[in-house]
Amino acid sequence: MVADIIQDPSCVFMFPNPEKISPPLMRLDEANIGYTSEKSILEKVNINVDLETRIALIGPNGAGKSTLVKALVGDLELNDGFRFIHNRLRIGTFTQHHMDNLDLKMSAVEQCIERWPDVPAERFRSHLGAFGITNNMALRPMYLLSGGQKSRVSFALITWEKPHILMLDEPTNHLDFDAINALIVALNNFEGGLVVVSHDEYFLNALCDRLYIVNKKKVKAFEGDLKAYRTIVTKSLKL
């Protein structure tokens, strides 16, 4: 029955840990970032990411948080400034639109085989199991899975090659409370760097020790916590 397939059997995430590499790993210096050379969405950006990083990118919708992630990982050319990416660095990127990268007619195992055809299917089944995609769930077409289960498959795909840095853009959108807590536990045990874009304060408070505000074309480190930032935003709205 479809209902049996969609039911989540367990809340589990287990992120594989990467080998250590020496910094610097990823950084932007005085970077101007935009989708056209004539107009920069973000200006004079300075940010450094390494294995110890636990950064939350916060700010209004449309201010450029996802654009900053694209610039950091090299998916967007800089209009000006400098970008460094370590030549051995592996990056796992989870986007808001991660489901667009899944073929819903294929199973989770088939998605893996399509990307890495030389790897035995049993290794993929074991890896998917670390994200709660077990037994028949790993073999059924993706359209039969819930949104949360599709998110788990996406997490499994981006971590297959043991990334040093995880870039997570709204990773909790399709997860229930138990799954979010399981994800928090797994990420706190992850021995690589983490950059998160999220509106989920509970999630960010549990994971991140540094805040960067993305707003009005600038990216600035914020010394306070999310509660202090929310207070500032509330006051500015009243004004």
Side-chain angles (χ1 to χ4, degrees):
M1 298 290 292
V2 172
D4 295 330
I5 298 166
I6 290 177
Q7 183 181 1
D8 228 345
S10 62
C11 281
V12 60
F13 293 85
M14 294 176 64
F15 288 86
N17 287 317
E19 80 282 6
K20 302 295 184 183
I21 54 176
S22 299
L25 302 188
M26 174 194 292
R27 76 170 190 262
L28 296 175
D29 295 327
E30 296 294 298
N32 290 349
I33 305 162
Y35 292 94
T36 65
S37 57
E38 294 79 22
K39 183 181 179 181
S40 290
I41 295 171
L42 301 170
E43 297 176 343
K44 303 295 183 184
V45 175
N46 295 286
I47 190 168
N48 180 66
V49 180
D50 57 31
L51 293 179
E52 310 301 320
T53 295
R54 289 288 190 275
I55 287 176
L57 302 179
I58 58 177
N61 288 336
K65 299 185 292 294
S66 298
T67 301
L68 175 57
V69 169
K70 290 178 182 178
L72 272 166
V73 303
D75 287 345
L76 194 58
E77 290 300 318
L78 303 183
N79 289 341
D80 196 13
F82 174 77
R83 171 174 48 219
F84 175 83
I85 298 177
H86 194 293
N87 61 3
R88 288 173 51 207
L89 183 68
R90 296 188 299 276
I91 306 165
T93 304
F94 184 99
T95 73
Q96 291 185 59
H97 309 292
H98 64 94
M99 291 187 195
D100 293 345
N101 297 321
L102 301 174
D103 186 335
L104 300 184
K105 298 188 296 295
M106 297 173 69
S107 71
V109 170
E110 288 169 338
Q111 306 254 352
C112 294
I113 291 171
E114 183 179 55
R115 296 190 187 198
W116 301 283
D118 298 329
V119 178
E122 284 308 307
R123 284 185 59 195
F124 292 131
R125 293 196 67 172
S126 175
H127 180 66
L128 287 161
F131 294 85
I133 304 298
T134 56
N135 303 323
N136 285 342
M137 197 185 299
L139 302 175
R140 297 300 178 110
M142 294 284 295
Y143 69 82
L144 292 177
L145 303 189
S146 69
Q149 289 160 354
K150 292 185 185 78
S151 291
R152 292 167 182 272
V153 174
S154 293
F155 278 119
L157 290 171
I158 70 168
T159 57
W160 172 254
E161 295 177 332
K162 298 183 178 180
H164 300 93
I165 305 291
L166 290 173
M167 314 288 285
L168 308 181
D169 194 348
E170 301 292 355
T172 64
N173 276 358
H174 298 281
L175 303 181
D176 63 23
F177 186 69
D178 288 341
I180 290 170
N181 279 321
L183 181 58
I184 287 169
V185 170
L187 289 172
N188 275 326
N189 288 321
F190 175 61
E191 296 176 2
L194 186 62
V195 178
V196 185
V197 178
S198 178
H199 291 87
D200 188 329
E201 288 192 25
Y202 173 77
F203 185 72
L204 294 180
N205 279 324
L207 286 171
C208 299
D209 56 14
R210 280 192 289 161
L211 303 179
Y212 277 78
I213 299 176
V214 182
N215 195 18
K216 297 179 180 178
K217 294 193 173 185
K218 301 297 180 185
V219 179
K220 295 181 179 178
F222 183 65
E223 296 303 323
D225 58 12
L226 282 166
K227 184 178 179 181
Y229 171 70
R230 191 171 64 249
T231 300
I232 292 171
V233 171
T234 302
K235 285 181 178 178
S236 68
L237 288 174
K238 287 179 179 177
L239 291 172

